[in-house]
Every structure is written in structure tokens, then in C-alpha cells.
Amino acid sequence: MTYGFHNKIIRINLSNGCITFDEPGENFFRRYLGGRGVIGYYLLNELEAGIDPLSPENKLIFTASVITGAKIPGAGRHSVGAKSPLTGFYGESESGGFWGPELKSAGYDGIILEGRAEKPVYLFIKDDRIELKDASHLWGQTVLETNDMLIEETGEAKLKTLIIGPAGENLVKFAGIAHDLSHYHGRTGMGAVMGSKNIKAVVVRGTGRQEFFNQDKLKEIFRYFTENFQNNNDNKNQHQHGTSDYYFGSQAAGTLPTYNYRKGYFEKLEYDADELHAALKKKTEGCYACPLRCKQVFEAEKPYKINGRLGGPEFETLGAFGSICGISDMYAAPKAHEICNQLGIDTVSAGVTIAFAMECYERGLISKEDTDGIELEFGNVEAMFSMLKKIAYRDGFGNILAEGSKKAGKIIGKGAEKYSMQVKGQEFAVAEPRAKFGVGLAYAVSPTGADHLQHEHDGAFDSALTGYSHTADDPHSMLKTLYSLGWYDPVPSLSLGFEKVALFTHLQHYWSLFNMLDICIFTFQPVRTLKITHIPEIVKAVTGWDTSLMELIEAGRRGTTMARLFNLKHGMTKEDDLNIPDRMFEGLQEGPLNGSKLDREEFEKAVSSYYEMMGWDSEEGIPLESTVHYLGIPWAAKILSELKAC
């Protein structure tokens, strides 16, 4: 008997409706685990170089992992991947919630969608019943309307849904995929890929029971979390306020991106987390088997009606529609979040793209005539709301912004690209690289474009920043958690020398493993409650494999290397890594870190150093042939040969 996987991946050709199954075997699942590993394997092996991300030739892959569905905090996530329409490179997005465990309960490890349906359809899965159903009546509906119609139509009250809104149908390059209304696959434009395939929803109901190798060990680890998470500073705050505390903490530290990343401090911010939650919070919700319950549900009748069924904003959304757009209205970001969830838009790219347009407007590069009469000024709440809707429907100027800020800058011209805060076409998250130099490196070398979720942020390992500790009596407690990864010394946040690059590389392997196992960073060390050494214990308890931390960390490195190979195959060069906004080499304005900036020469050296530490050549970041053999993917040597031939 096998544990942790069913050895069954559904493959559906939407062009002809053919449904088959891949059964790749136990070694496949042990080598690739799930998430990024499975997505990277299939995309790298099956997509021809240069395909259009919105063509039938692209493949959209949904996958859980070998531990998805185990009753462990943080093990309820799943991943979606494809060639990204926003960047043209590797695309991947994770979501918490319940869909992944439901897919495993139905008896499957993943889904591969290829081709394009002739007319709108949705995919319905209930155990061994797999059907493509007509979705013509759902096309054009919002996420909330579609969700309710699907539950009524299928008669499945416990249905788990993945749905695109009008933004995905209209191929907005940063369209997302909603999961049960309040969870989201936001980044890299996976909703647009889904829309390009004429598929409105993927819905699952599973009634089977998963078997695990050592259920008692899983219960022991679950108890450890429940007994300790409120003693962990970060988890305790997340339980109370979700991630919103990060918004106000960033303000205090001078690391809060403001006015399209010009400043690190928002002088108009006049409320705190307690006021925000007192005014808007209805309740808290959580993900599968997680007592942390960090999902905040916001609701209001005025000044804007906000529907609590669509959840509440995370830190990233508060920043994107708050300080970055120069908006101080406490109710504005929660309302913008609701609009995005209804229409199916990534809140991060949407907010940062609108802030880019606001700066263009401020500098006279665009006018009211260009923006359809909207005064697109920093701080203009109604302008932000209006532009969100125009983006989703590709109406007027919204049609330009729907391409993302990089392409919008090219369309506007007049030097507008300078004000686009993105890497490889994906907009920055709400983390300031000039205050956390490791974040700057992460934005640069991330396979998905600007992505702060490549490693734990710098402050946790800076001996000068004692506020980043688990407990008040041990200021270096977070650093000590890395001893099991072979890292022992603090590194300053405002550093990009060899030590910082080495620390980043260690942590990127670890966080890439998170994306392969589909586990939540908010439950594990170095910052949170579960130990790093719990991870191999969990994998063994689920699968029965006699695994080790070394095996799993190497899997994380394997996942990043496969994503790199995919990007190189599809035309990426070192210049795409080095091409971060000039603003990052200019001093932050105002706040405690006034004047802080990246040094261009040091940054470029750091990128080359990172390549070498990854086992890639320092000139272009191409994995060495010895590296792919070391990582157990010898088939990738053929791709290296093709790259050299080019």
C-alpha cells in the first residue's frame, strides 16, 4: 500500500474532451513531491519554447503534494502553474483553504488541462466521476454569483471551488483564481490562462478517506502546534489580526512602500490594527486542519458596502491599495479587496499598477483625456475603485493597465517605464528592497518575477534587530532555528555581500521546498511555531518514507533549478534578473531609513554569486550539466544542450 499519493493525475484535453490519467509511480512523487516539483517537471518537458501563454499550447496544472490533506497546520495548500501571461516565463501560485485536501479525498494528486474548449465549460469532479459541463450561463458572472450557482446546480453543499471572474475571461494579464470566495491564486496571471482555455471553474467533491503511515505521529505534531502557537510572537499576532500587523509594523520601521515606492513611511496613516479590526472585523476563518485561523473576515455597510463572504485583506492588499496608492481611508483597501475578489484580480499587481498610473498622471505623462476623465491622483479612492473595474472589463484606459505596469509603460511611452515597479513583468509585493537587501535579491532572481516569498526576510537574522525574536528573553531565537540548515551567524539587513547571498540561497532552497510540499510559511520556523526538523517527520509520518532534511532541501533546490531551466528555455537572460527599477538604487525618502538604497555594483555581484552558489554558471545563470545530474534530473541535460546550441 502507498501512502501520501494516489498515483493518479487527471489529464484533460479541452479541445476534444478526452480524459486520461498519468500514473508516474512512487519515485516520481518522492523526487518531485507536488506543487512546484510536479508543475516544473510537466511544463519543462511538455511546453515548446516560445509558445504564447494564452494559446491552447499552454498547459494549466493544478497539484497537491504528498502531505496535502494530512491534519497538520499549514498542509492544506495546493498550487497552480503554467507559462505566465504576465511575465512570459514560469508561472506559479499557491493558495490555502480546502480545495487541495478535497482533491486528494476524491482520489487524485493533480490535474493537467491542455488545449482549449470550444465554448465555456467547467470541470466537475466527484470521486470517480469527472465531467466537463457547459458554463455558458456562468460566463460573465462574478466570482460570488458563479460560486452560488455552481453549488445550487450540482446539489453539492460541500463543493470546493476554483473560479475565475470577468478579469480572467477578459484575459487580464494579472487575473487570479478564486478558491471558495476568500482564498486566492493571485500572482502570475493564472486566471488569464484559465480564461484563455474557456474554463470558468474547476470544482471538486471528494468523499474518500486518506490513509497515512503513522497517524499517531501526525497527532503528536498537531498537538505541539496547538499547545505552542500562542507562545510564538508572530503566530499570536496572526491569530488576533491576521497579517495586518505587518502593515503597521512596516510603517514604524520605515519599510512601508508609499507613493509607488518613493517613500518608506506614510505620513497620512492615522489608524492602527486595533481600530481597523474594531471597525470592520466580523469573524476569523482558517484553512484545513489549522487552528491558527488567521483569515480575517471584514464587513461594512458604510462608507462602502463590503460583503464579508469575500473574506478580508491581507497585509499585501492593505499596502497595495493603501500607502502605495497614497490612500489613508481605512475602509478603502478592504473595499478594493472585495472588488478584486468579485472580479478575479490579483490585488498586489492591481494596486501597484494603479500606483504606477497615478505617478504617470502626477508627472504629466498621461492626462484625464487618456484616463477616460478619471482624475488618477494619489489618494483618490473613487478613481482607484473605478480603474479596478475598468481593468477587469478592459474598458478604455483599463485595457492598457490590464497588460500590467511593464507593458503599460511601453504603451504610454515618454519614459513611463521608469515608474513601473516590477521585475520580469510582475509587480513588486509590499516589501521594500532598500530596507531589506535580501528582498531585493529575491525580487531579482525569483523564477516568477518580483516575489517576496522566496525566503524569510532579512530582519529575522540581523543581530541589531532584536524585535524579530520569538521571545523577549532570547533576541537571537530565530537565527538559532537555522542551525539545522547549517547556518549559524547573523547578517545585517542592509548587506548584499557573500554572507547575505549564502543565507538567501540556504533559505530559498527551504522555501522552494514549501512550494513543493504545499505548506504554509505561517506555521513553520524560522519565524513561526513548527520546527524545521518537523518537516521530515511529517513527510515520513504521511508517506512512510525514511526521508531526511537533506533529501527534502535538495528537492527544494531541484524545484528552483527546474523553474530556472524553464525560463531559460523560454528566452530569459541574465538581463532579466538585473533589470530591476532604477528607483531601487536611489535613496528612500523620509522615515527611519531615509536615504537607504541598493548599490548597483554590489547588487550585480550578488546575482552572479547567487548563480555560483546554485551550481549555475556565473555569466548567464545556466545550470551546469553536473548540477542537473547531481539533482537527479539527468533528462534536463538535453535542455542544456539545446540552450547551448542556441
Side-chain angles (χ1 to χ4, degrees), residues 213-239:
F213 178 74
N214 188 342
Q215 185 66 54
D216 289 340
K217 184 65 176 179
L218 294 175
K219 289 178 180 178
E220 175 190 318
I221 296 171
F222 183 88
R223 280 195 304 271
Y224 177 88
F225 186 87
T226 58
E227 291 169 1
N228 288 282
F229 82 87
Q230 295 239 39
N231 298 321
N232 174 282
N233 289 338
D234 209 70
N235 279 159
K236 181 180 178 180
N237 291 335
Q238 286 175 317
H239 183 64

Side-chain angles (χ1 to χ4, degrees), residues 591-611:
L593 290 171
N594 183 44
S596 181
K597 62 182 178 180
L598 294 173
D599 177 83
R600 192 180 295 274
E601 183 177 346
E602 185 181 46
F603 164 74
E604 292 180 356
K605 183 178 179 181
V607 171
S608 294
S609 299
Y610 164 75
Y611 291 168

Side-chain angles (χ1 to χ4, degrees), residues 118 245 342 372 421 460 499 516 577 580 589 594 619:
E118 184 178 347
D245 277 350
Q342 279 276 34
D372 312 314
M421 298 297 110
E499 291 77 14
M516 297 177 79
D577 290 336
I580 69 172
Q589 299 174 21
N594 183 44
E619 296 302 314

Side-chain angles (χ1 to χ4, degrees), residues 227-407:
E227 291 169 1
N228 288 282
F229 82 87
Q230 295 239 39
N231 298 321
N232 174 282
N233 289 338
D234 209 70
N235 279 159
K236 181 180 178 180
N237 291 335
Q238 286 175 317
H239 183 64
Q240 182 180 7
H241 288 148
T243 57
S244 63
D245 277 350
Y246 298 147
Y247 186 59
F248 305 99
S250 297
Q251 168 82 338
T255 64
L256 183 65
T258 302
Y259 297 118
N260 197 29
Y261 298 84
R262 289 202 294 247
K263 299 182 178 183
Y265 181 82
F266 188 29
E267 71 283 358
K268 294 184 179 180
L269 183 58
E270 297 178 348
Y271 62 94
D272 61 21
D274 288 331
E275 292 175 87
L276 176 70
H277 285 256
L280 283 151
K281 181 175 174 179
K282 179 185 178 185
K283 61 178 179 178
T284 58
E285 294 179 340
C287 297
Y288 179 84
C290 187
L292 183 58
R293 296 184 66 81
C294 67
K295 298 291 291 182
Q296 309 300 297
V297 176
F298 281 9
E299 192 169 87
E301 290 297 324
K302 58 183 181 180
Y304 321 107
K305 186 172 178 58
I306 299 172
N307 190 333
R309 292 185 64 197
L310 294 156
E314 303 287 350
F315 159 55
E316 302 293 332
T317 304
L318 291 173
F321 294 122
S323 60
I324 293 174
C325 286
I327 289 173
S328 58
D329 182 344
M330 182 170 68
Y331 293 85
K335 180 60 181 178
H337 166 270
E338 184 215 54
I339 293 170
C340 288
N341 277 18
Q342 279 276 34
L343 300 178
I345 314 174
D346 171 29
T347 59
V348 180
S349 280
V352 176
T353 297
I354 289 174
F356 151 78
M358 286 175 167
E359 183 161 359
C360 290
Y361 190 90
E362 177 185 80
R363 294 179 180 275
L365 304 180
I366 54 176
S367 66
K368 281 178 66 174
E369 287 69 33
D370 299 307
T371 61
D372 312 314
I374 296 173
E375 294 183 354
L376 205 56
E377 299 170 326
F378 283 112
N380 189 333
V381 176
E382 292 301 330
M384 180 176 72
F385 293 163
S386 297
M387 199 52 68
L388 280 174
K389 295 169 186 174
K390 292 175 79 66
I391 288 170
Y393 291 99
R394 285 190 172 269
D395 176 38
F397 188 65
N399 188 45
I400 294 174
L401 297 187
E403 294 295 307
S405 61
K406 180 180 180 179
K407 188 170 181 182

Side-chain angles (χ1 to χ4, degrees), residues 428-606:
F428 280 16
V430 187
E432 175 52 71
R434 291 167 291 181
K436 305 173 182 179
F437 287 7
V439 169
L441 180 60
Y443 283 169
V445 302
S446 160
T448 57
D451 180 359
H452 65 303
L453 294 179
Q454 293 292 305
H455 70 128
E456 188 55 69
H457 290 196
D458 307 56
F461 317 110
D462 187 333
S463 61
L465 300 175
T466 56
Y468 285 83
S469 62
H470 293 303
T471 59
D473 60 349
D474 189 355
H476 298 148
S477 59
M478 292 188 189
L479 176 63
K480 289 178 180 178
T481 66
L482 296 190
Y483 289 2
S484 59
L485 294 181
W487 193 268
Y488 313 105
D489 302 309
V491 182
S493 294
L494 303 183
S495 152
L496 261 185
F498 283 121
E499 291 77 14
K500 175 57 67 66
V501 179
L503 174 60
F504 168 83
T505 306
H506 275 75
L507 288 167
Q508 191 188 40
H509 296 338
Y510 179 50
W511 281 43
S512 180
L513 173 63
F514 284 177
N515 289 344
M516 297 177 79
L517 287 173
D518 284 310
I519 54 179
C520 178
I521 65 167
F522 290 152
T523 53
F524 281 85
Q525 290 177 348
V527 173
R528 285 94 195 183
T529 300
L530 288 176
K531 298 177 182 179
I532 291 173
T533 50
H534 274 136
I535 296 179
E537 292 180 8
I538 292 167
V539 174
K540 181 176 181 179
V542 171
T543 64
W545 300 333
D546 190 15
T547 188
S548 66
L549 187 57
M550 177 182 174
E551 179 186 7
L552 296 173
I553 292 296
E554 288 300 312
R557 182 182 169 197
R558 183 181 301 124
T560 305
T561 298
M562 288 194 298
R564 180 72 181 185
L565 283 166
F566 179 89
N567 285 343
L568 292 167
K569 179 178 177 179
H570 290 265
M572 195 186 79
T573 68
K574 185 176 184 178
E575 282 305 305
D576 292 294
D577 290 336
L578 297 179
N579 190 19
I580 69 172
D582 290 342
R583 182 160 285 170
M584 296 302 104
F585 305 105
E586 301 165 0
L588 267 173
Q589 299 174 21
E590 300 185 16
L593 290 171
N594 183 44
S596 181
K597 62 182 178 180
L598 294 173
D599 177 83
R600 192 180 295 274
E601 183 177 346
E602 185 181 46
F603 164 74
E604 292 180 356
K605 183 178 179 181

Side-chain angles (χ1 to χ4, degrees), residues 46-62:
E46 297 191 3
L47 293 195
E48 294 295 326
I51 66 153
D52 182 343
L54 297 177
S55 71
E57 287 70 41
N58 201 0
K59 300 192 180 188
L60 186 63
I61 301 170
F62 303 83

